[in-house]
Coordinates of all heavy atoms in Angstrom, one line a residue:
M271 N -24.1 48.4 114.1 CA -23.5 48.8 112.8 C -23.5 47.7 111.8 O -23.3 46.6 112.1 CB -22.0 49.2 113.1 CG -21.4 50.1 112.1 SD -22.1 51.7 111.9 CE -21.1 52.7 113.0
K272 N -23.9 48.2 110.6 CA -23.8 47.2 109.5 C -23.0 47.8 108.4 O -22.6 49.0 108.4 CB -25.3 46.9 109.0 CG -26.0 48.1 108.5 CD -27.4 47.8 108.1 CE -28.2 49.0 107.6 NZ -29.5 48.8 107.2
Y273 N -22.8 47.0 107.3 CA -21.9 47.5 106.3 C -22.6 47.5 104.9 O -23.4 46.6 104.6 CB -20.6 46.6 106.2 CG -19.8 46.7 107.5 CD1 -20.1 45.8 108.5 CD2 -18.9 47.7 107.7 CE1 -19.4 45.9 109.7 CE2 -18.2 47.8 108.8 CZ -18.5 46.9 109.9 OH -17.8 47.1 111.1
C274 N -22.3 48.5 104.1 CA -22.9 48.6 102.8 C -22.5 47.4 102.0 O -21.3 47.1 101.9 CB -22.4 49.9 102.2 SG -22.9 50.1 100.5
A275 N -23.5 46.9 101.3 CA -23.2 45.7 100.5 C -22.5 46.1 99.2 O -21.8 45.3 98.5 CB -24.5 45.0 100.1
N276 N -22.6 47.4 98.8 CA -22.0 47.9 97.6 C -20.5 48.3 97.8 O -19.7 47.9 97.0 CB -22.9 49.1 97.1 CG -22.4 49.6 95.7 OD1 -22.3 48.7 94.8 ND2 -22.2 50.8 95.6
C277 N -20.3 49.1 98.8 CA -18.9 49.6 99.0 C -18.2 49.2 100.3 O -17.0 49.5 100.4 CB -18.9 51.2 98.8 SG -19.7 52.0 100.2
G278 N -18.9 48.6 101.1 CA -18.3 48.1 102.4 C -18.2 49.2 103.5 O -17.7 48.9 104.5
N279 N -18.8 50.4 103.2 CA -18.8 51.4 104.2 C -19.6 51.1 105.4 O -20.7 50.5 105.2 CB -19.3 52.7 103.5 CG -19.3 53.9 104.4 OD1 -18.3 54.1 105.2 ND2 -20.3 54.7 104.4
A280 N -19.2 51.4 106.6 CA -20.0 51.2 107.8 C -21.1 52.2 107.8 O -20.9 53.4 107.6 CB -19.1 51.4 109.0
V281 N -22.3 51.7 107.9 CA -23.5 52.6 108.0 C -24.3 52.3 109.2 O -24.2 51.2 109.8 CB -24.4 52.4 106.7 CG1 -23.7 53.0 105.5 CG2 -24.8 51.0 106.5
E282 N -25.1 53.3 109.6 CA -26.0 53.1 110.8 C -27.0 51.9 110.5 O -27.4 51.7 109.4 CB -26.7 54.4 111.1 CG -25.8 55.6 111.5 CD -25.1 55.3 112.8 OE1 -25.6 54.6 113.7 OE2 -23.9 55.7 112.9
D283 N -27.4 51.3 111.6 CA -28.3 50.2 111.4 C -29.6 50.6 110.8 O -30.2 49.8 110.1 CB -28.5 49.5 112.8 CG -27.4 48.6 113.2 OD1 -26.6 48.2 112.3 OD2 -27.2 48.4 114.4
D284 N -30.1 51.8 111.1 CA -31.4 52.2 110.6 C -31.3 53.0 109.3 O -32.2 53.6 108.9 CB -32.1 53.0 111.7 CG -31.3 54.3 112.2 OD1 -30.1 54.3 111.9 OD2 -31.9 55.1 112.9
A285 N -30.1 53.1 108.8 CA -29.8 53.9 107.6 C -30.5 53.2 106.4 O -30.5 51.9 106.3 CB -28.4 54.1 107.3
T286 N -31.1 54.0 105.5 CA -31.8 53.4 104.3 C -30.8 53.4 103.2 O -30.8 52.5 102.3 CB -33.0 54.2 104.0 OG1 -33.7 54.5 105.2 CG2 -33.9 53.5 103.0
Y287 N -29.9 54.4 103.1 CA -29.0 54.5 102.0 C -27.6 54.7 102.6 O -27.4 55.3 103.7 CB -29.3 55.7 101.1 CG -30.6 55.6 100.4 CD1 -31.8 56.1 100.9 CD2 -30.7 54.8 99.3 CE1 -33.0 56.0 100.3 CE2 -31.9 54.6 98.6 CZ -33.0 55.2 99.1 OH -34.3 55.1 98.5
C288 N -26.6 54.2 101.9 CA -25.2 54.3 102.3 C -24.8 55.8 102.2 O -25.1 56.4 101.2 CB -24.3 53.4 101.4 SG -22.6 53.7 101.6
S289 N -24.1 56.3 103.2 CA -23.7 57.7 103.3 C -22.6 57.9 102.3 O -22.3 59.1 101.9 CB -23.3 58.1 104.7 OG -22.3 57.2 105.1
R290 N -21.8 56.9 101.9 CA -20.7 57.1 101.0 C -21.1 57.0 99.5 O -20.9 57.9 98.7 CB -19.6 56.1 101.3 CG -18.3 56.5 100.6 CD -17.4 55.3 100.5 NE -16.6 55.1 101.8 CZ -15.8 54.1 102.0 NH1 -15.7 53.1 101.1 NH2 -15.2 53.9 103.1
C291 N -21.7 55.9 99.2 CA -22.1 55.6 97.8 C -23.5 55.8 97.4 O -23.9 55.8 96.3 CB -21.6 54.2 97.4 SG -22.6 52.9 98.1
G292 N -24.3 55.9 98.4 CA -25.8 56.1 98.2 C -26.6 54.9 97.8 O -27.7 55.0 97.5
A293 N -25.9 53.7 97.9 CA -26.6 52.5 97.5 C -27.7 52.2 98.6 O -27.4 52.4 99.8 CB -25.7 51.3 97.4
P294 N -28.8 51.8 98.2 CA -29.8 51.4 99.3 C -29.3 50.2 100.1 O -28.9 49.2 99.6 CB -31.1 51.0 98.4 CG -30.6 50.7 97.1 CD -29.3 51.4 96.9
C295 N -29.4 50.4 101.4 CA -28.9 49.4 102.3 C -29.9 49.0 103.4 O -29.6 48.4 104.3 CB -27.5 49.7 102.9 SG -27.5 51.3 103.7
G296 N -31.1 49.5 103.2 CA -32.1 49.2 104.1 C -32.5 47.8 103.9 O -32.2 47.1 102.9
R297 N -33.2 47.3 104.9 CA -33.7 45.9 104.8 C -34.6 45.7 103.6 O -35.6 46.5 103.5 CB -34.4 45.5 106.1 CG -34.3 44.0 106.4 CD -34.9 43.7 107.8 NE -34.1 44.2 108.9 CZ -34.5 45.0 109.9 NH1 -35.8 45.4 109.9 NH2 -33.7 45.3 110.9
V298 N -34.3 44.8 102.7 CA -35.1 44.6 101.6 C -36.3 43.8 102.0 O -36.1 42.6 102.5 CB -34.4 44.0 100.4 CG1 -35.3 43.7 99.2 CG2 -33.2 44.8 100.0
K299 N -37.5 44.3 101.9 CA -38.7 43.6 102.3 C -39.0 42.5 101.4 O -39.0 42.7 100.2 CB -39.9 44.6 102.4 CG -40.0 45.2 103.8 CD -41.4 45.7 103.9 CE -41.4 47.2 104.2 NZ -42.8 47.8 104.0
K300 N -39.2 41.3 101.9 CA -39.6 40.2 101.1 C -41.1 40.4 100.9 O -41.8 40.6 101.8 CB -39.3 38.9 101.9 CG -39.4 37.6 101.1 CD -38.9 36.5 102.0 CE -39.1 35.2 101.3 NZ -40.4 34.6 101.5
P301 N -41.5 40.2 99.6 CA -42.9 40.4 99.3 C -43.7 39.4 100.1 O -43.4 38.2 100.2 CB -43.0 40.2 97.8 CG -41.7 39.7 97.4 CD -40.7 39.9 98.4
S302 N -44.8 39.9 100.7 CA -45.7 39.0 101.4 C -46.4 38.0 100.5 O -46.5 38.2 99.3 CB -46.7 39.8 102.2 OG -47.6 40.3 101.3
T303 N -46.8 36.9 101.1 CA -47.5 35.8 100.3 C -48.7 36.4 99.6 O -49.0 36.1 98.5 CB -47.8 34.7 101.2 OG1 -46.7 34.3 102.0 CG2 -48.3 33.5 100.4
L304 N -49.4 37.2 100.3 CA -50.7 37.8 99.8 C -50.4 38.6 98.5 O -51.1 38.6 97.5 CB -51.4 38.7 100.8 CG -52.3 38.0 101.7 CD1 -52.9 39.0 102.7 CD2 -53.5 37.3 101.0
K305 N -49.3 39.4 98.5 CA -48.9 40.2 97.4 C -48.5 39.3 96.2 O -48.9 39.6 95.1 CB -47.7 41.1 97.7 CG -48.2 42.3 98.5 CD -47.1 43.3 98.8 CE -47.6 44.5 99.6 NZ -46.5 45.3 100.0
V306 N -47.8 38.2 96.5 CA -47.5 37.3 95.4 C -48.7 36.7 94.8 O -48.8 36.6 93.6 CB -46.5 36.2 96.0 CG1 -46.3 35.2 94.9 CG2 -45.2 36.8 96.4
I307 N -49.7 36.3 95.7 CA -50.9 35.7 95.2 C -51.7 36.8 94.4 O -52.2 36.5 93.3 CB -51.8 35.2 96.4 CG1 -51.1 34.0 97.1 CG2 -53.2 34.8 95.9 CD1 -51.8 33.6 98.4
A308 N -51.7 38.0 94.8 CA -52.4 39.1 94.1 C -51.7 39.3 92.7 O -52.4 39.5 91.7 CB -52.3 40.4 94.9
E309 N -50.4 39.2 92.7 CA -49.7 39.3 91.4 C -50.1 38.2 90.4 O -50.4 38.4 89.3 CB -48.2 39.2 91.6 CG -47.6 40.5 92.1 CD -46.1 40.4 92.4 OE1 -45.6 39.2 92.4 OE2 -45.4 41.4 92.5
V310 N -50.2 37.0 91.0 CA -50.7 35.8 90.2 C -52.1 36.1 89.6 O -52.3 35.9 88.4 CB -50.7 34.5 91.0 CG1 -51.3 33.4 90.2 CG2 -49.2 34.1 91.4
F311 N -53.0 36.6 90.5 CA -54.3 36.9 90.1 C -54.4 38.1 89.1 O -55.2 38.1 88.2 CB -55.2 37.2 91.2 CG -55.8 35.9 91.8 CD1 -55.2 35.3 92.9 CD2 -56.9 35.3 91.3 CE1 -55.7 34.2 93.5 CE2 -57.4 34.2 91.8 CZ -56.8 33.6 92.9
M312 N -53.5 39.0 89.2 CA -53.4 40.1 88.2 C -53.0 39.6 86.8 O -53.6 39.9 85.8 CB -52.3 41.1 88.7 CG -52.7 42.0 89.8 SD -54.1 43.1 89.5 CE -53.3 44.4 88.6
V313 N -52.1 38.6 86.9 CA -51.6 38.0 85.6 C -52.8 37.2 85.0 O -53.1 37.3 83.8 CB -50.4 37.1 85.8 CG1 -50.1 36.3 84.5 CG2 -49.2 38.0 86.2
L314 N -53.5 36.5 85.9 CA -54.6 35.7 85.5 C -55.7 36.6 84.9 O -56.4 36.2 83.9 CB -55.2 34.8 86.6 CG -54.3 33.6 87.0 CD1 -55.0 32.9 88.3 CD2 -54.2 32.6 85.9
G315 N -55.9 37.7 85.6 CA -56.9 38.7 85.1 C -56.6 39.2 83.7 O -57.5 39.3 82.9
C316 N -55.3 39.5 83.5 CA -54.9 39.9 82.2 C -55.1 38.9 81.1 O -55.6 39.2 80.0 CB -53.4 40.3 82.2 SG -53.0 41.8 83.1
I317 N -54.8 37.6 81.5 CA -55.0 36.5 80.5 C -56.5 36.3 80.3 O -56.9 36.2 79.1 CB -54.3 35.2 81.1 CG1 -52.8 35.4 81.2 CG2 -54.7 34.0 80.2 CD1 -52.1 34.3 82.0
S318 N -57.3 36.4 81.3 CA -58.7 36.1 81.1 C -59.4 37.2 80.4 O -60.3 37.0 79.6 CB -59.4 35.9 82.5 OG -59.4 37.0 83.3
S319 N -59.0 38.5 80.6 CA -59.6 39.6 79.9 C -59.1 39.5 78.4 O -59.9 39.8 77.5 CB -59.2 40.9 80.5 OG -57.9 41.1 80.5
G320 N -57.8 39.1 78.2 CA -57.4 38.9 76.8 C -58.1 37.8 76.2 O -58.5 38.0 75.0
W321 N -58.4 36.8 76.9 CA -59.2 35.6 76.4 C -60.6 36.1 76.0 O -61.2 35.6 75.1 CB -59.2 34.5 77.4 CG -60.2 33.4 77.2 CD1 -61.3 33.2 77.9 CD2 -60.1 32.4 76.2 NE1 -61.9 32.1 77.4 CE2 -61.2 31.6 76.3 CE3 -59.3 32.2 75.1 CZ2 -61.5 30.6 75.5 CZ3 -59.5 31.2 74.3 CH2 -60.7 30.3 74.4
A322 N -61.1 37.0 76.8 CA -62.5 37.5 76.5 C -62.5 38.5 75.3 O -63.4 38.5 74.6 CB -63.0 38.2 77.7
L323 N -61.4 39.2 75.1 CA -61.4 40.2 74.1 C -61.1 39.6 72.7 O -61.8 40.0 71.8 CB -60.3 41.3 74.4 CG -60.7 42.4 75.3 CD1 -59.5 43.3 75.7 CD2 -61.8 43.2 74.8
I324 N -60.2 38.7 72.7 CA -59.9 38.1 71.4 C -61.0 37.4 70.7 O -61.3 37.7 69.6 CB -58.6 37.2 71.5 CG1 -57.4 38.0 71.9 CG2 -58.3 36.4 70.2 CD1 -56.2 37.2 72.5
P325 N -61.7 36.5 71.5 CA -62.9 35.9 70.8 C -64.0 36.9 70.4 O -64.7 36.6 69.4 CB -63.4 34.9 71.9 CG -62.3 34.7 72.8 CD -61.6 36.0 72.8
L326 N -64.1 38.0 71.1 CA -65.1 39.0 70.8 C -64.9 39.5 69.4 O -65.9 39.9 68.7 CB -64.9 40.1 71.8 CG -66.2 41.0 72.0 CD1 -67.3 40.2 72.6 CD2 -65.8 42.2 73.0
C327 N -63.7 39.5 68.9 CA -63.4 39.9 67.5 C -64.0 39.0 66.5 O -64.2 39.4 65.3 CB -61.9 40.0 67.3 SG -61.1 41.2 68.3
W328 N -64.3 37.8 66.9 CA -65.0 36.9 65.8 C -66.3 36.4 66.3 O -67.1 35.8 65.5 CB -64.1 35.8 65.4 CG -63.4 35.0 66.5 CD1 -62.3 35.3 67.1 CD2 -63.9 33.7 66.9 NE1 -62.1 34.3 68.1 CE2 -63.0 33.3 67.9 CE3 -64.9 32.9 66.6 CZ2 -63.1 32.1 68.6 CZ3 -65.1 31.7 67.3 CH2 -64.2 31.4 68.3
T329 N -66.7 36.6 67.6 CA -68.0 36.1 68.0 C -69.1 37.1 67.4 O -70.2 36.7 67.0 CB -68.2 36.1 69.5 OG1 -67.8 37.4 70.1 CG2 -67.4 35.0 70.1
I330 N -68.7 38.4 67.3 CA -69.6 39.3 66.7 C -69.8 39.0 65.2 O -71.0 38.9 64.7 CB -69.1 40.8 66.9 CG1 -69.2 41.1 68.4 CG2 -69.9 41.8 66.1 CD1 -68.6 42.4 68.9
P331 N -68.7 38.9 64.4 CA -68.9 38.5 63.0 C -69.7 37.2 62.9 O -70.6 37.1 61.9 CB -67.5 38.3 62.5 CG -66.7 39.1 63.3 CD -67.3 39.1 64.7
M332 N -69.5 36.2 63.7 CA -70.3 35.0 63.7 C -71.7 35.2 63.9 O -72.6 34.6 63.2 CB -69.7 34.0 64.7 CG -68.5 33.2 64.2 SD -67.9 32.1 65.5 CE -69.0 30.7 65.3
T333 N -72.0 36.1 64.9 CA -73.4 36.4 65.2 C -74.1 37.1 64.0 O -75.2 36.8 63.6 CB -73.5 37.3 66.5 OG1 -72.8 36.6 67.5 CG2 -74.9 37.6 66.9
V334 N -73.3 38.0 63.4 CA -73.8 38.8 62.2 C -74.1 37.8 61.1 O -75.1 37.8 60.5 CB -72.8 39.9 61.8 CG1 -73.2 40.5 60.5 CG2 -72.8 41.0 62.9
K335 N -73.2 36.9 60.9 CA -73.3 35.9 59.8 C -74.5 35.0 60.0 O -75.3 34.7 59.1 CB -72.0 35.0 59.7 CG -72.1 33.9 58.6 CD -70.9 33.0 58.8 CE -71.2 31.6 58.2 NZ -70.6 31.4 57.0
Y336 N -74.7 34.6 61.3 CA -75.9 33.8 61.6 C -77.2 34.5 61.4 O -78.1 34.0 60.8 CB -75.8 33.3 63.0 CG -76.9 32.3 63.3 CD1 -76.9 31.1 62.7 CD2 -77.9 32.6 64.2 CE1 -77.9 30.1 62.9 CE2 -78.9 31.7 64.5 CZ -78.9 30.4 63.8 OH -79.9 29.6 64.1
F337 N -77.2 35.8 61.8 CA -78.4 36.6 61.6 C -78.7 36.7 60.1 O -79.9 36.6 59.7 CB -78.2 38.0 62.2 CG -78.7 38.1 63.6 CD1 -78.0 37.5 64.6 CD2 -79.8 38.9 63.9 CE1 -78.4 37.6 65.9 CE2 -80.2 39.0 65.2 CZ -79.6 38.4 66.2
K338 N -77.7 36.9 59.2 CA -77.9 37.0 57.8 C -78.4 35.7 57.2 O -79.3 35.6 56.4 CB -76.5 37.3 57.1 CG -76.3 38.8 57.0 CD -75.0 39.1 56.2 CE -74.6 40.5 56.3 NZ -73.2 40.7 55.8
S339 N -77.8 34.5 57.7 CA -78.3 33.2 57.3 C -79.7 33.0 57.6 O -80.5 32.5 56.8 CB -77.4 32.1 57.9 OG -76.0 32.3 57.6
V340 N -80.1 33.4 58.8 CA -81.5 33.1 59.2 C -82.4 34.0 58.4 O -83.5 33.6 57.9 CB -81.7 33.5 60.7 CG1 -83.1 33.5 61.1 CG2 -80.9 32.5 61.6
K341 N -82.0 35.2 58.1 CA -82.8 36.2 57.4 C -83.0 35.7 56.0 O -84.1 35.8 55.4 CB -82.1 37.6 57.4 CG -83.1 38.7 56.9 CD -82.3 40.0 57.0 CE -83.0 41.1 56.2 NZ -82.2 42.3 56.1
E342 N -81.9 35.2 55.4 CA -82.0 34.8 54.0 C -82.4 33.4 53.8 O -82.4 32.8 52.7 CB -80.6 35.0 53.3 CG -80.2 36.5 53.2 CD -78.7 36.7 53.0 OE1 -78.0 35.7 52.7 OE2 -78.2 37.8 53.1
G343 N -82.7 32.7 54.9 CA -83.2 31.3 54.9 C -82.2 30.3 54.5 O -82.5 29.2 54.2
R344 N -80.9 30.7 54.6 CA -79.8 29.8 54.3 C -79.5 29.0 55.6 O -79.7 29.5 56.7 CB -78.6 30.5 53.8 CG -78.7 30.9 52.4 CD -77.4 31.5 51.8 NE -77.1 32.9 52.4 CZ -76.1 33.2 53.2 NH1 -75.3 32.2 53.6 NH2 -76.0 34.4 53.7
D345 N -78.9 27.8 55.4 CA -78.5 27.0 56.5 C -77.0 27.2 56.7 O -76.2 27.4 55.8 CB -78.8 25.5 56.2 CG -78.7 24.7 57.5 OD1 -78.8 25.3 58.6 OD2 -78.6 23.5 57.4
V346 N -76.6 27.2 58.0 CA -75.2 27.3 58.3 C -74.6 26.0 58.5 O -75.3 25.0 58.8 CB -75.0 28.2 59.6 CG1 -75.3 29.6 59.3 CG2 -75.8 27.7 60.7
S347 N -73.3 25.8 58.3 CA -72.7 24.5 58.4 C -72.7 24.0 59.8 O -72.8 24.8 60.8 CB -71.2 24.6 57.9 OG -70.5 25.4 58.8
T348 N -72.5 22.7 59.9 CA -72.5 22.1 61.3 C -71.3 22.6 62.0 O -71.4 22.8 63.2 CB -72.4 20.5 61.1 OG1 -73.5 20.1 60.3 CG2 -72.5 19.9 62.5
G349 N -70.2 22.8 61.3 CA -69.0 23.3 62.0 C -69.2 24.7 62.6 O -68.8 25.0 63.7
F350 N -70.0 25.5 61.9 CA -70.4 26.8 62.4 C -71.2 26.7 63.6 O -71.0 27.4 64.6 CB -71.1 27.6 61.3 CG -71.5 29.0 61.7 CD1 -70.7 30.1 61.5 CD2 -72.7 29.2 62.3 CE1 -71.0 31.4 61.9 CE2 -73.1 30.5 62.7 CZ -72.2 31.6 62.5
K351 N -72.1 25.7 63.6 CA -73.0 25.5 64.7 C -72.2 25.1 66.0 O -72.5 25.6 67.1 CB -74.1 24.5 64.4 CG -75.1 25.0 63.4 CD -76.0 23.8 63.0 CE -76.8 24.2 61.8 NZ -77.6 23.1 61.3
V352 N -71.3 24.1 65.7 CA -70.5 23.6 66.8 C -69.6 24.7 67.4 O -69.5 24.9 68.6 CB -69.7 22.4 66.4 CG1 -68.7 22.0 67.5 CG2 -70.6 21.2 66.0
C353 N -69.0 25.5 66.5 CA -68.2 26.7 67.0 C -69.0 27.7 67.8 O -68.6 28.2 68.8 CB -67.5 27.3 65.8 SG -66.2 26.4 65.1
S354 N -70.2 27.9 67.3 CA -71.1 28.8 68.0 C -71.4 28.2 69.4 O -71.4 29.0 70.4 CB -72.4 29.0 67.3 OG -72.1 29.5 66.0
L355 N -71.7 26.9 69.5 CA -72.0 26.3 70.7 C -70.9 26.4 71.7 O -71.1 26.8 72.9 CB -72.3 24.8 70.5 CG -72.8 23.9 71.6 CD1 -73.7 22.9 71.1 CD2 -71.6 23.3 72.4
I356 N -69.6 26.2 71.2 CA -68.5 26.2 72.1 C -68.1 27.6 72.4 O -67.8 28.0 73.6 CB -67.3 25.4 71.5 CG1 -67.7 24.0 71.3 CG2 -66.0 25.6 72.4 CD1 -66.7 23.2 70.4
F357 N -68.0 28.5 71.4 CA -67.3 29.8 71.6 C -68.3 30.9 71.8 O -67.9 31.9 72.4 CB -66.3 30.1 70.5 CG -65.2 29.0 70.4 CD1 -65.2 28.2 69.3 CD2 -64.3 28.9 71.4 CE1 -64.2 27.2 69.2 CE2 -63.3 28.0 71.3 CZ -63.2 27.1 70.2
V358 N -69.4 30.9 71.3 CA -70.3 32.1 71.3 C -71.3 31.9 72.4 O -71.3 32.6 73.5 CB -71.0 32.4 70.0 CG1 -71.8 33.6 70.1 CG2 -70.0 32.5 68.9
N359 N -72.2 30.9 72.3 CA -73.2 30.7 73.3 C -73.7 29.3 73.2 O -74.1 28.8 72.2 CB -74.4 31.7 73.1 CG -75.4 31.6 74.2 OD1 -76.2 30.7 74.2 ND2 -75.4 32.6 75.1
F360 N -73.7 28.6 74.3 CA -74.0 27.2 74.4 C -75.4 26.9 74.0 O -75.7 26.1 73.2 CB -73.7 26.7 75.9 CG -73.9 25.3 76.0 CD1 -72.9 24.4 75.6 CD2 -75.1 24.7 76.6 CE1 -73.1 23.0 75.8 CE2 -75.2 23.4 76.8 CZ -74.2 22.5 76.4
I361 N -76.3 27.7 74.5 CA -77.8 27.5 74.2 C -78.0 27.8 72.7 O -78.7 27.0 72.1 CB -78.6 28.4 75.2 CG1 -78.5 27.9 76.6 CG2 -80.1 28.3 74.7 CD1 -79.0 28.8 77.6
A362 N -77.4 28.9 72.2 CA -77.6 29.2 70.8 C -77.1 28.1 69.9 O -77.8 27.7 68.9 CB -76.9 30.5 70.5
G363 N -76.0 27.5 70.3 CA -75.4 26.4 69.5 C -76.3 25.2 69.5 O -76.6 24.6 68.5
I364 N -76.9 24.9 70.7 CA -77.8 23.7 70.8 C -79.0 24.0 70.0 O -79.5 23.1 69.2 CB -78.2 23.6 72.3 CG1 -77.0 23.1 73.2 CG2 -79.4 22.6 72.4 CD1 -76.7 21.7 73.1
L365 N -79.6 25.2 70.1 CA -80.8 25.5 69.3 C -80.5 25.4 67.8 O -81.3 25.0 67.0 CB -81.2 26.9 69.7 CG -81.8 27.1 71.1 CD1 -82.1 28.6 71.4 CD2 -83.1 26.2 71.2
M366 N -79.3 25.9 67.4 CA -78.9 25.8 65.9 C -78.9 24.3 65.5 O -79.3 24.0 64.4 CB -77.5 26.4 65.7 CG -77.5 27.9 65.6 SD -75.8 28.4 65.3 CE -75.8 30.0 66.0
L367 N -78.3 23.5 66.4 CA -78.1 22.1 66.0 C -79.4 21.3 65.9 O -79.6 20.5 65.1 CB -77.1 21.4 67.0 CG -75.7 21.7 66.8 CD1 -74.9 21.3 68.0 CD2 -75.1 21.1 65.6
V368 N -80.3 21.6 66.9 CA -81.6 20.8 66.9 C -82.6 21.5 66.0 O -83.7 20.9 65.7 CB -82.1 20.6 68.3 CG1 -81.1 19.8 69.2 CG2 -82.5 22.0 69.0
G369 N -82.4 22.8 65.7 CA -83.4 23.6 65.0 C -83.8 23.0 63.7 O -85.0 23.1 63.4
D370 N -82.9 22.5 62.9 CA -83.2 22.0 61.6 C -84.2 20.8 61.7 O -85.0 20.6 60.8 CB -81.9 21.5 60.9 CG -80.9 22.7 60.7 OD1 -81.5 23.8 60.6 OD2 -79.7 22.5 60.6
D371 N -84.0 20.0 62.7 CA -84.9 18.8 62.8 C -86.3 19.2 63.2 O -87.2 18.6 62.8 CB -84.3 17.8 63.9 CG -82.9 17.4 63.6 OD1 -82.5 17.4 62.4 OD2 -82.1 17.1 64.5
I372 N -86.4 20.3 64.0 CA -87.7 20.6 64.4 C -88.5 21.3 63.3 O -89.7 21.1 63.0 CB -87.6 21.6 65.7 CG1 -87.0 20.8 66.8 CG2 -89.0 22.2 66.0 CD1 -86.6 21.7 68.0
E373 N -87.8 22.2 62.5 CA -88.4 22.9 61.5 C -88.9 22.0 60.4 O -88.3 20.9 60.2 CB -87.4 23.9 60.9 CG -87.3 25.2 61.7 CD -86.2 26.1 61.2 OE1 -86.3 26.4 60.0 OE2 -85.3 26.5 61.9
D374 N -89.9 22.4 59.7 CA -90.5 21.6 58.6 C -89.4 21.3 57.6 O -89.2 20.4 56.9 CB -91.6 22.4 57.9 CG -91.2 23.8 57.6 OD1 -90.5 24.0 56.5 OD2 -91.5 24.7 58.4
Ligands
ZN577 ZN1 -21.9 52.2 100.1

């Protein structure tokens, strides 16, 4: 015999709910370590997908701007190149940075 934590009523050991007040009195399962780890990864997944989506909002405009600059023969700023290198594409950024020296 155990007692309801809510009202103190004596309840059967295998009872899930108190017969008097209806409060759950079954054994509260402690979440397993794996579930906790999964939760952490779910949160990380949300953060990483958020991280992927937010830059996407300006990597596309940056790419479009670069395409326009190339088409119109204009040069982009070094800041733009570095930002492209870090945030859009590493190889593209390197090519932008060294491209000016190689071209006539
Ligand atoms: Zn109760």
Side-chain angles (χ1 to χ4, degrees):
M271 199 65 92
K272 61 183 179 181
Y273 298 92
C274 172
N276 188 48
C277 68
N279 182 41
V281 289
E282 296 297 324
D283 283 335
D284 57 347
T286 315
Y287 295 97
C288 171
S289 56
R290 190 199 281 173
C291 72
C295 52
R297 211 174 285 127
V298 179
K299 269 200 239 164
K300 195 171 171 272
S302 69
T303 310
L304 273 179
K305 282 183 180 172
V306 173
I307 293 170
E309 280 179 345
V310 171
F311 274 95
M312 288 295 282
V313 172
L314 286 176
C316 290
I317 294 167
S318 65
S319 60
W321 167 248
L323 278 174
I324 294 161
L326 203 63
C327 297
W328 54 275
T329 53
I330 292 171
M332 276 179 82
T333 306
V334 170
K335 181 190 154 101
Y336 186 66
F337 267 70
K338 274 185 188 166
S339 301
V340 170
K341 193 182 169 191
E342 293 165 11
R344 282 187 288 113
D345 197 16
V346 288
S347 68
T348 306
F350 182 90
K351 292 172 188 175
V352 172
C353 285
S354 300
L355 186 149
I356 297 168
F357 298 111
V358 184
N359 187 282
F360 186 76
I361 295 165
I364 293 283
L365 290 173
M366 281 184 206
L367 284 167
V368 300
D370 295 336
D371 301 331
I372 295 168
E373 281 175 54
D374 48 83

